[in-house]
Amino acid sequence: MFTRSNRPFDYLQIVRFASVGVLNTAFGYTIILFALWLGNGDVVSNLIGYAAGLVLSFGLNNRWTFGNKQNASPNVIARYVATFLVAYAVNLGIVLAARSTGLMDGPVIHLLGICAYTILFYLGSVYFVFAENTPISIINRHAINGRSEPR
């Protein structure tokens, strides 16, 4: 049996998401370095950097990547934070599991964790956080209203 998703593959959305991720990483890392320079420890600096990056990435992904023209509701913000926490926990779990079992250590395992984080965060953003702004949702909304094609 062959099944196929009817959701269109949105290359531009993926490029935008990746662009936001690169900008977010540079911004967050800069904040971490600045916080370290101010005398904060590693954990506090990391927390400040990730929090600042999360705010920036939400704003850009909400408006630019997923095209939400209205202000974000508290529910969308909560889903975004929850998706981040799940993706970050998986990233951290991969790194810690690989290190504790002795399978892998060093930069390569962090790259694997980052890949898992990115994929989960993108999929969570598309199907959970911003689902009402995805092409299939727009098509379904028009079909429910009696129109077969979006305007």
Side-chain angles (χ1 to χ4, degrees):
M1 173 182 229
F2 180 74
T3 59
R4 183 178 217 174
S5 171
N6 63 347
R7 186 180 190 289
F9 196 76
D10 193 339
Y11 292 103
L12 181 59
Q13 188 178 69
I14 291 171
V15 169
R16 286 181 174 178
F17 187 83
S19 299
V20 169
V22 169
L23 179 64
N24 177 56
T25 300
F27 176 72
Y29 187 60
T30 301
I31 297 295
I32 290 169
L33 293 177
F34 184 68
L36 287 169
W37 181 78
L38 289 176
N40 293 297
D42 288 327
V43 173
V44 171
S45 297
N46 193 279
L47 180 64
I48 292 168
Y50 268 89
L54 192 62
V55 171
L56 175 68
S57 72
F58 176 79
L60 292 174
N61 279 322
N62 182 48
R63 296 282 183 177
W64 188 54
T65 305
F66 295 100
N68 186 7
K69 303 298 182 214
Q70 294 131 12
N71 289 331
S73 71
N75 289 338
V76 170
I77 294 169
R79 289 193 307 261
Y80 194 78
V81 171
T83 301
F84 162 78
L85 291 173
V86 168
Y88 185 71
V90 168
N91 173 1
L92 194 57
I94 288 170
V95 171
L96 295 177
R99 291 184 75 197
S100 69
T101 59
L103 291 175
M104 207 179 266
D105 198 6
V108 174
I109 192 59
H110 286 280
L111 285 176
L112 293 174
I114 289 169
C115 288
Y117 167 87
T118 302
I119 292 166
L120 284 174
F121 202 32
Y122 176 73
L123 293 174
S125 294
V126 168
Y127 293 107
F128 179 60
V129 179
F130 302 109
E132 62 270 5
N133 296 320
T134 59
I136 195 67
S137 293
I138 294 167
I139 292 167
N140 286 341
R141 233 179 309 172
H142 289 288
I144 290 169
N145 292 330
R147 290 179 266 155
S148 60
E149 293 294 322
R151 289 185 176 196

